[in-house]
Amino acid sequence: VGSGNTGTGGGITMTAGETSAAGATGGEVSVTAGKGAGTGGAVKVTAGEGTTSTGGALVLASGEGTATSSGSVSISSADAGISGVSGEMSLATGSSTNGESGAVGVSTGTAVGGAGGAISVSVGSGNTGTGGGITMTAGETSAAGATGGEVSV
């Protein structure tokens, strides 16, 4: 999409095919990076920069099941090969030089007529060395008379 200097920038929309056939599945959108003899190619999705206002949002959501369940969202690194470690997972907000940094929220939805969803945090098992730990650390403050954050379990 080309650049411009008036109005909103152009957009790109990718939409897979729709079907009205009973029990059939709609088309899939698949984006795959290239295989490398060394390192494989990356898939990078970046929202737009806002030079005088807020940057663009990145929304990753499953589809609604109008009559039944919504789709799952799965984010994972692949298993390691013969040697090495599996890929690292990182979920973080950016830093702020003038104001608050963003929050990270992990929650399940409310259920009516059933149990609320569970949240599970676990460390994988190993067969050499010390087992992996779980660390929760509350935030510090350097503000006079203010109290640091707390961890509630």
Side-chain angles (χ1 to χ4, degrees):
V1 176
S3 298
N5 60 7
T6 61
T8 303
I12 296 175
T13 301
M14 289 191 301
T15 305
E18 179 180 326
T19 180
S20 58
T25 302
E28 179 178 294
V29 174
S30 178
V31 178
T32 305
K35 180 178 180 179
T39 302
V43 174
K44 184 175 181 180
V45 179
T46 305
E49 177 182 342
T51 55
T52 61
S53 188
T54 305
L58 178 62
V59 178
L60 178 64
S62 68
E64 177 183 355
T66 306
T68 61
S69 303
S70 62
S72 297
V73 174
S74 176
I75 301 174
S76 63
S77 66
D79 294 341
I82 296 169
S83 63
V85 297
S86 63
E88 181 177 299
M89 295 286 296
S90 177
L91 176 65
T93 65
S95 298
S96 173
T97 56
N98 186 17
E100 298 177 358
S101 64
V104 174
V106 178
S107 62
T108 64
T110 302
V112 176
I119 295 177
S120 174
V121 178
S122 61
V123 177
S125 60
N127 61 4
T128 60
T130 304
I134 295 178
T135 303
M136 293 193 325
T137 305
E140 298 180 6
T141 181
S142 58
T147 304
E150 64 179 43
V151 175
S152 300
V153 180

